[in-house]
């Protein structure tokens, strides 16, 4: 059984993918903190309600017996495994004031975003490990600890 077939695992993979993309954007902002004219970028927030809707659709798709193949012609479509096909939208952060050289990166704010991203990633990884452990226990391969 593929782990994407389980809604909780698909949701955790989607969350980890978003956190990875967010890490890249924040790291790029930090790397360009002294670059004249560089505007800070941010990634579109992940919407919890759409994640739940996607999981509901995945469950109903799993329970339906259909021979029709699903198409993912748009990046917003879901793949067969339940993980979104595209990457999150990246846009310029207009909430930050520019310095005289045109740079719009506040290093302190970016470091806070980086720390928050790290904590959220650790939480998602721990949830993924716990669910994988439950699956192993259910099939009789888990250890007793």
């Amino acid at each position: 059984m593929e782990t994407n077939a389980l809604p909780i695992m698909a949701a955790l993979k989607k969350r980890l993918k978003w956190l990875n993309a967010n890490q890249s954007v924040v790291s790029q902002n930090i790397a360009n903190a002294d670059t004249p004219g560089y505007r800070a970028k941010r990634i579109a927030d992940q919407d919890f309600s759409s994640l739940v809707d996607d999981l509901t659709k995945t469950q109903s798709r799993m329970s339906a017996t259909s021979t029709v193949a699903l198409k993912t012609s748009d990046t917003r479509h879901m793949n067969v495994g339940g993980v979104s096909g595209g990457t999150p939208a990246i846009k310029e952060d207009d909430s930050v004031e520019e310095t005289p050289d045109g740079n719009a990166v506040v290093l302190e704010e970016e470091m806070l975003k980086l720390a928050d991203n790290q904590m959220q990633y650790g939480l998602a990884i721990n949830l993924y490990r716990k669910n994988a452990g439950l699956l192993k226990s259910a099939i009789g391969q888990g250890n007793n600890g």
Side-chain angles (χ1 to χ4, degrees), residues 73-136:
S73 59
D74 190 313
T75 58
R76 294 171 293 178
H77 289 169
M78 297 291 291
N79 287 330
V80 175
V83 180
S84 178
T87 57
I90 299 172
K91 59 183 178 181
E92 286 188 1
D93 190 359
D94 297 330
S95 65
V96 180
E97 292 184 26
E98 289 184 18
T99 59
D101 68 355
N103 187 295
V105 177
V106 179
L107 194 55
E108 293 81 11
E109 287 181 14
E110 297 300 322
M111 295 302 285
L112 286 172
K113 289 178 189 176
L114 188 67
D116 183 54
N117 196 73
Q118 181 181 5
M119 288 188 304
Q120 290 182 30
Y121 194 87
L123 173 65
I125 286 292
N126 284 334
L127 288 171
Y128 192 88
R129 283 183 187 150
K130 293 290 184 185
N131 280 296
L134 287 172
L135 288 173
K136 285 181 181 180

